[in-house]
């Protein structure tokens, strides 16, 4: 039975929604700790970081799927507020996600025109200093999708992708490619660098 290791490199407890495992019960991973979930072979699900109660970046996993391979990706389709990566245990070549997504988002936001910022009002959330704390669902806002693609295209799953008859974006589709066989999954969360 494969396992999912969720490491929180940040200095605060990090809550996650769990879909498909752990009886669909949320977990909170303490600061600088790793939590472990068991996952039945051929199971699928998602681990979604929560930010002030809002869904953010998510790790999606299918164990032992088509061809006996795992399928893993990091998606920002429902939002973001931190950095998340996933890979198979012992195989860095399977790593998905941008370990510095939020840093790239903040840089792009600082450079964005006033028109872009006005168009994204209600989708990009900032603190009192104007620094981005999180973004809302990309799937509901085409202009937010375009903005996120300006710095993260090909690094994370951004759009709706190949689903329900849509061909999707080829860079998103590439994020959902097969890994190498079936192995434990390593998920790493951080407010800084989410490289395992």
């Amino acid at each position: 039975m494969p396992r999912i290791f969720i490491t929180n490199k940040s200095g605060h407890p990090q809550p996650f929604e769990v879909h498909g495992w752990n009886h669909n019960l949320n977990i909170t991973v303490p600061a600088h700790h790793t939590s472990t979930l068991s996952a039945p072979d051929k199971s699928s699900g998602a681990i979604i970081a929560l930010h002030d109660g809002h869904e953010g970046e998510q790790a999606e996993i299918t164990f032992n799927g088509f061809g006996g391979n795992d399928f893993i990706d990091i998606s920002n389709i429902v939002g973001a507020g931190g950095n998340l990566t996933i890979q198979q245990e012992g195989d860095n070549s399977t790593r998905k996600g941008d370990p510095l997504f939020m840093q790239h988002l903040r840089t792009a936001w600082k450079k964005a025109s006033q028109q872009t910022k006005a168009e994204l009002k209600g989708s990009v959330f900032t603190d009192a200093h104007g620094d981005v704390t999180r973004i809302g669902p990309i799937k509901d806002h085409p202009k937010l999708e375009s903005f996120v693609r300006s710095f993260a295209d090909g690094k994370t799953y951004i759009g709706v992708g190949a689903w329900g008859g849509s061909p999707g974006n080829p860079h998103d589709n590439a994020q959902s490619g097969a890994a190498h066989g079936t192995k434990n999954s390593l998920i790493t969360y951080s407010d800084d660098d989410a490289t395992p």
Side-chain angles (χ1 to χ4, degrees):
M1 178 180 301
R3 292 181 294 170
I4 304 167
F5 298 100
I6 307 166
T7 298
N8 176 13
K9 290 173 64 176
S10 73
H12 60 83
Q14 179 58 47
F16 294 92
E17 275 184 19
V18 178
H19 296 274
W21 307 288
N22 199 45
H23 306 288
N24 294 318
L25 298 174
N26 292 2
I27 63 168
T28 298
V29 181
H32 307 292
H33 280 81
T34 299
S35 294
T36 305
L37 300 176
S38 295
D41 203 26
K42 297 191 178 290
S43 64
S44 293
I47 308 296
I48 306 172
L50 295 172
H51 304 283
D52 298 322
H54 298 277
E55 292 179 327
E57 57 284 356
Q58 62 182 320
E60 300 171 322
I61 309 167
T62 296
F63 286 106
N64 194 10
F66 181 77
N69 295 306
D70 294 342
F71 288 80
I72 57 175
D73 68 67
I74 297 295
S75 172
N76 294 107
I77 195 168
V78 297
N83 301 318
L84 198 67
T85 59
I86 186 171
Q87 70 178 62
Q88 288 182 312
E89 185 175 38
D91 191 347
N92 292 347
S93 72
T94 62
R95 186 174 304 145
K96 303 283 181 75
D98 180 356
L100 298 171
F101 180 90
M102 289 300 292
Q103 287 81 346
H104 296 148
L105 170 60
R106 290 180 183 118
T107 298
W109 185 250
K110 287 184 187 304
K111 293 178 181 177
S113 68
Q114 288 306 313
Q115 178 181 343
T116 297
K117 290 180 179 181
E119 291 172 345
L120 296 178
K121 186 176 182 181
S123 294
V124 177
F125 302 90
T126 60
D127 62 17
H129 305 288
D131 293 325
V132 177
T133 56
R134 70 177 184 86
I135 58 173
I138 294 171
K139 65 185 177 74
D140 297 335
H141 203 306
K143 291 193 180 206
L144 180 59
E145 180 176 336
S146 295
F147 177 68
V148 172
R149 284 199 188 284
S150 74
F151 64 87
D153 197 31
K155 297 178 184 177
T156 180
Y157 206 103
I158 298 167
V160 175
W163 189 258
S166 168
N169 179 288
H171 296 143
D172 290 347
N173 296 340
Q175 291 297 310
S176 294
H180 306 136
T182 190
K183 302 174 185 171
N184 294 332
S185 284
L186 308 180
I187 297 172
T188 305
Y189 174 88
S190 181
D191 295 324
D192 296 313
D193 187 340
T195 302

